[in-house]
């Protein structure tokens, strides 16, 4: 990448439903994160210079609570404030992005760009014009076939996906998509408006429940793809990103079946795979800012030497976090002492690095079991592996 003129010292407003991963990425990039999210987890508070907890997760991000939180954080900035980076939580409420952009530089995609990418009629029509394969998608429930899926426009995390009959009578921004067999593969990319670069591929998996079959479980890299398919998917991602003028980090979610791939959606923001792709040697937030502020892209994919995986640990029963709970270094998004966590809600994130993706995913699975056992016992001095 050419020489950067990005400041070496600056503060960043970081806001998302859960902002720990973005805050950690900001620290790795050398910046000071000022965080607003719904959890204010123990490690998020350690990472952030200042942290504000937003109210009412069920209602999502609201301006009446977000504005005073961001104003207070901005006043606490210990260095020049570069602007605001927004993670998950704004895909279905772009007017809030516009309000943030009126007060501070918006270090990501413009609200109009996010709106277009998340509009199923505009997005899939564009894919058809570009010749990018995708599942058949409609907004009229009558036109949806048997076995199709219902998805909420701007939804994230998989929990909004349901079998079509469950959503036929639901009001709101729902669209319907043909269900296709395949393994979920995500392409991490960075865009600079009219250009883009794919940084790497990961495989994802679900953590299903009775009422949420497609709930996000975790991700691991590198994805197992042929060189030809990688090149094909990269070409498609670059084409779509340039068509919509995407800026900064984003991800493109595919279903891969053999050598065929179907594009499901674009997430126009830094996403869930930050934990498995980011590193001290090549901080992704600097790549993001260089693309957004200077329209500069890296020379090619990330040169990662290890495989890595990360997964969410969901509570199997309601629990309250006690003072005796000891969290190992391979956990993140650690709840605070006294937090009450309902069944099927996230407890924390676990991660692992290994020689291969299979080994990293297996280690993550073992660590999920270890955390659940420790939460059940909550005995101090637990020996973590």
């Amino acid at each position: 990448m050419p020489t950067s003129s990005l400041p070496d010292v600056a503060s960043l407003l970081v806001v998302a439903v859960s902002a720990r991963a973005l805050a950690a990425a900001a620290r790795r990039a050398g910046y000071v994160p000022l965080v607003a999210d719904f959890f204010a987890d123990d490690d998020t508070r350690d990472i952030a210079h200042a942290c504000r907890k937003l109210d009412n997760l069920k209602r999502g991000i609201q301006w009446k609570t977000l504005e005073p939180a961001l104003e207070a954080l901005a006043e606490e900035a210990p260095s020049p404030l570069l602007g605001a980076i927004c993670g998950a939580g704004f895909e279905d409420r772009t007017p809030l992005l516009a309000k943030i952009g009126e007060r501070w530089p918006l270090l990501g995609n413009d609200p109009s760009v996010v709106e277009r990418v998340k509009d199923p009629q505009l997005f899939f029509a564009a894919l058809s014009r570009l010749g990018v394969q995708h599942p058949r998608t409609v907004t009229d429930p009558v036109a949806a076939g048997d076995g199709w899926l219902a998805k909420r426009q701007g939804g994230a995390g998989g929990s909004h996906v349901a079998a079509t009959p469950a959503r036929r009578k639901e009001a709101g921004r729902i669209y319907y998509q043909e269900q296709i067999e395949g393994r979920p593969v995500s392409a991490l990319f960075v865009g600079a408006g009219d250009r883009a670069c794919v940084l790497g591929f990961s495989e994802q998996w679900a953590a299903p429940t009775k009422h949420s079959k497609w709930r996000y479980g975790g991700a691991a890299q590198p994805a197992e793809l042929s060189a030809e398919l990688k090149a094909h998917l990269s070409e498609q991602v670059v084409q779509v990103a340039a068509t919509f003028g995407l800026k900064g980090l984003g991800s493109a979610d595919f279903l891969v079946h053999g050598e065929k791939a179907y594009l499901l959606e674009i997430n126009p923001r830094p996403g869930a795979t930050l934990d498995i792709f980011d590193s001290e040697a090549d901080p992704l937030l600097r790549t993001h800012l260089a693309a957004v502020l200077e329209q500069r892209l890296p020379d090619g994919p990330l040169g990662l030497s290890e495989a890595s995986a990360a997964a969410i640990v969901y509570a199997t029963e309601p629990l309250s976090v006690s003072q005796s709970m000891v969290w190992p270094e391979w956990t993140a998004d650690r709840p605070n002492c006294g937090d009450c966590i309902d069944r099927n809600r996230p407890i924390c994130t676990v991660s692992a690095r290994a020689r291969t993706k299979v080994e990293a995913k297996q280690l993550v699975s073992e660590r999920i079991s270890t955390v659940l056992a420790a939460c059940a016992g909550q005995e101090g001095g637990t020996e973590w592996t």
Side-chain angles (χ1 to χ4, degrees):
M1 184 183 289
T3 303
S4 173
S5 59
L6 293 174
D8 291 327
V9 178
S11 298
L12 297 172
L13 292 171
V14 178
V15 56
V17 169
S18 176
R20 189 274 316 160
L22 264 176
R27 281 292 185 190
R28 283 189 289 269
Y31 296 109
V32 178
L34 306 161
V35 175
D37 75 359
F38 285 104
F39 299 96
D41 287 323
D42 186 60
D43 52 335
T44 304
R45 292 179 181 274
D46 287 342
I47 293 166
H49 175 78
C51 184
R52 293 291 185 277
K53 185 175 181 179
L54 302 176
D55 295 328
N56 205 334
L57 176 60
K58 289 184 178 180
R59 293 190 61 190
I61 300 172
Q62 304 287 319
W63 183 243
K64 66 179 180 180
T65 53
L66 180 60
E67 180 187 24
L70 293 181
E71 289 283 5
L73 289 169
E75 291 180 2
E76 294 189 55
S79 51
L81 186 58
L82 197 57
I85 295 183
C86 299
F90 292 92
E91 293 87 346
D92 61 348
R93 49 198 69 201
T94 52
L96 292 187
L97 286 178
K99 286 181 176 292
I100 294 172
E102 291 171 0
R103 308 291 289 275
W104 303 278
L106 197 58
L107 304 174
N109 286 296
D110 291 338
S112 60
V113 172
V114 177
E115 186 72 33
R116 289 173 58 225
V117 169
K118 287 303 177 182
D119 184 320
Q121 292 180 304
L122 289 175
F123 181 70
F124 291 104
L127 296 191
S128 295
R129 290 193 299 272
L130 295 171
V132 176
Q133 280 191 305
H134 60 85
R136 288 180 291 170
T137 305
V138 298
T139 55
D140 181 359
V142 177
D146 292 336
W148 284 35
L149 301 175
K151 300 183 176 184
R152 179 170 53 82
Q153 184 176 335
S159 294
H160 66 100
V161 181
T164 305
R167 288 280 179 88
R168 282 190 183 274
K169 296 181 180 180
E170 182 175 320
R173 289 143 62 100
I174 303 297
Y175 66 99
Y176 305 87
Q177 196 166 72
E178 176 186 19
Q179 188 172 357
I180 291 177
E181 289 188 11
R183 56 192 173 99
V185 169
S186 182
L188 175 69
F189 69 89
V190 60
D194 60 345
R195 297 166 295 121
C197 175
V198 172
L199 302 175
F201 292 92
S202 63
E203 294 188 16
Q204 301 182 0
W205 61 89
T209 67
K210 180 180 179 180
H211 301 292
S212 185
K213 184 178 178 181
W214 294 273
R215 181 180 66 171
Y216 177 78
Q221 65 84 16
E224 295 177 6
L225 302 170
S226 68
E228 293 77 13
L229 188 53
K230 282 184 182 178
H232 178 60
L233 296 185
S234 295
E235 181 181 346
Q236 290 189 333
V237 171
V238 167
Q239 195 176 19
V240 174
T243 296
F244 285 93
L246 294 171
K247 295 180 181 179
L249 291 171
S251 59
D253 292 344
F254 293 88
L255 279 178
V256 173
H257 187 73
E259 288 297 297
K260 291 185 177 180
Y262 302 84
L263 182 56
L264 301 179
E265 66 174 338
I266 292 279
N267 296 306
R269 44 137 178 102
T273 58
L274 268 178
D275 284 331
I276 62 173
F277 280 111
D278 202 11
S279 68
E280 300 280 355
D282 197 1
L284 284 175
L285 252 290
R286 291 197 76 87
T287 300
H288 173 83
L289 292 173
V292 172
L293 298 176
E294 302 174 343
Q295 290 73 57
R296 291 188 302 105
L297 295 177
D299 296 329
L302 298 169
L304 300 176
S305 59
E306 287 183 304
S308 59
I312 298 175
V313 184
Y314 292 98
T316 55
E317 298 294 340
L319 64 92
S320 178
V321 181
S322 74
Q323 288 184 329
S324 64
M325 191 66 178
V326 179
W327 300 99
E329 61 179 9
W330 40 259
T331 59
D333 303 310
R334 303 166 189 162
N336 296 285
C337 176
D339 282 357
C340 294
I341 301 172
D342 294 333
R343 183 172 180 266
N344 288 327
R345 301 299 297 174
I347 298 174
C348 67
T349 300
V350 297
S351 60
R353 296 186 181 274
R355 291 185 307 108
T356 68
K357 182 205 71 176
V358 172
E359 291 174 348
K361 188 176 177 180
Q362 177 60 35
L363 186 51
V364 154
S365 179
E366 293 170 2
R367 288 174 171 175
I368 289 174
S369 298
T370 302
V371 169
L372 289 175
C375 287
Q378 295 208 29
E379 297 178 354
T382 300
E383 185 174 335
W384 301 93
T385 60

